[in-house]
Amino acid sequence: GAGVSQTPSNKVTEKGKYVELRCDPISGHTALYWYRQSLGQGPEFLIYFQGTGAADDSGLPNDRFFAVRPEGSVSTLKIQRTERGDSAVYLCASSLGTWPDTQYFGPGTRLTVL
Amino acid sequence: AQSVAQPEDQVNVAEGNPLTVKCTYSVSGNPYLFWYVQYPNRGLQFLLKYITGDNLVKGSYGFEAEFNKSQTSFHLKKPSALVSDSALYFCAVRDNVNTDKLIFGTGTRLQVFP
């Protein structure tokens, strides 16, 4: 079946611009996660949705970052006033939402802020 | 603080030889441990997980991992390495405090030489 998909695969933007990154989870998965992977590092948690609500947003670095999942399926990660330090690969994962489940990751969006 | 350590940045092994990629962890409560593999320009692929039960966990592509509670380790192993196993491997632990998010190590690059 179809896995987690993310668009765009690459995004180049200029400092100060606004970007949106999209994640399409596996059908039927109620839990959705966003992680950020900087060069040479492991993924770091950003935010977790259970259904439509953000159950844990403790990983968002500051208020420039925001994510939504209005219908409990597709999620959008929004970054305002981008900074060069935001450059990273943004990974999305989904799971069934009932422990002990497994998180399945998408291919990621590589964001480059010039 | 809960954490995962992968002490080796890179592991080199000849094709056909056994391989081990090391991982140690620190968690509150019971450890729930995962291994993922990342190929170039692709997302993380799930290999295996330890939840409870048998300390030797078998996973995809012939990989297995041994859970050792006394040594707080979860090393990834394969009896006979393939060149196609060359990739970046991440160990992760479930955050038992803020549930469901994964805490990743920094990754180990496995290079299998023909």
Side-chain angles (χ1 to χ4, degrees):
Chain A
V4 177
S5 62
Q6 293 185 246
T7 55
S9 54
N10 280 284
K11 176 70 177 179
V12 180
T13 191
E14 294 179 342
K15 181 185 173 203
K17 299 289 188 182
Y18 168 83
V19 296
E20 289 190 352
L21 312 180
R22 175 188 167 111
C23 172
D24 231 308
I26 293 171
S27 178
H29 281 192
T30 62
L32 186 145
Y33 311 79
W34 285 97
Y35 293 83
R36 180 168 70 173
Q37 186 176 17
S38 300
L39 195 63
Q41 300 297 314
E44 293 180 318
F45 170 79
L46 295 175
I47 187 170
Y48 156 54
F49 288 90
Q50 181 62 260
T52 59
D56 181 358
D57 64 357
S58 62
L60 295 177
N62 52 59
D63 60 6
R64 295 187 298 106
F65 288 74
F66 190 70
V68 295
R69 195 185 184 200
E71 297 178 357
S73 179
V74 171
S75 176
T76 304
L77 179 65
K78 309 181 181 194
I79 311 174
Q80 298 177 326
R81 305 184 303 280
T82 52
E83 300 177 358
R84 292 193 179 88
D86 298 336
S87 297
V89 176
Y90 289 81
L91 296 168
C92 176
S94 71
S95 72
L96 286 170
T98 54
W99 181 250
D101 55 354
T102 298
Q103 295 181 29
Y104 294 95
F105 284 78
T109 294
R110 182 175 299 277
L111 175 65
T112 303
V113 182
L114 300 177
Chain B
Q2 303 185 102
S3 64
V4 170
Q6 293 183 245
E8 304 153 316
D9 289 336
Q10 180 154 331
V11 169
N12 299 317
V13 64
E15 187 174 33
N17 282 2
L19 69 88
T20 298
V21 182
K22 296 180 180 177
C23 172
T24 58
Y25 64 88
S26 173
V27 295
S28 303
N30 293 323
Y32 303 110
L33 299 154
F34 300 77
W35 275 102
Y36 286 84
V37 59
Q38 187 173 41
Y39 295 99
N41 299 316
R42 296 178 65 177
L44 300 171
Q45 293 182 30
F46 170 73
L47 280 179
L48 51 80
K49 66 184 179 185
Y50 172 82
I51 304 300
T52 186
D54 195 347
N55 289 343
L56 186 63
V57 179
K58 294 190 182 297
S60 306
Y61 313 120
F63 283 93
E64 56 191 26
E66 187 171 10
F67 171 67
N68 187 317
K69 188 172 182 178
S70 63
Q71 297 185 2
T72 62
S73 67
F74 189 56
H75 300 333
L76 182 69
K77 301 183 179 187
K78 188 174 183 182
S80 179
L82 300 172
V83 172
S84 58
D85 292 332
S86 298
L88 193 54
Y89 290 80
F90 289 96
C91 181
V93 64
R94 181 180 184 250
D95 186 340
N96 289 338
V97 176
N98 299 299
T99 56
D100 292 336
K101 72 180 184 187
L102 294 177
I103 300 168
F104 285 86
T106 52
T108 299
R109 184 164 301 281
L110 173 66
Q111 189 71 47
V112 181
F113 295 94

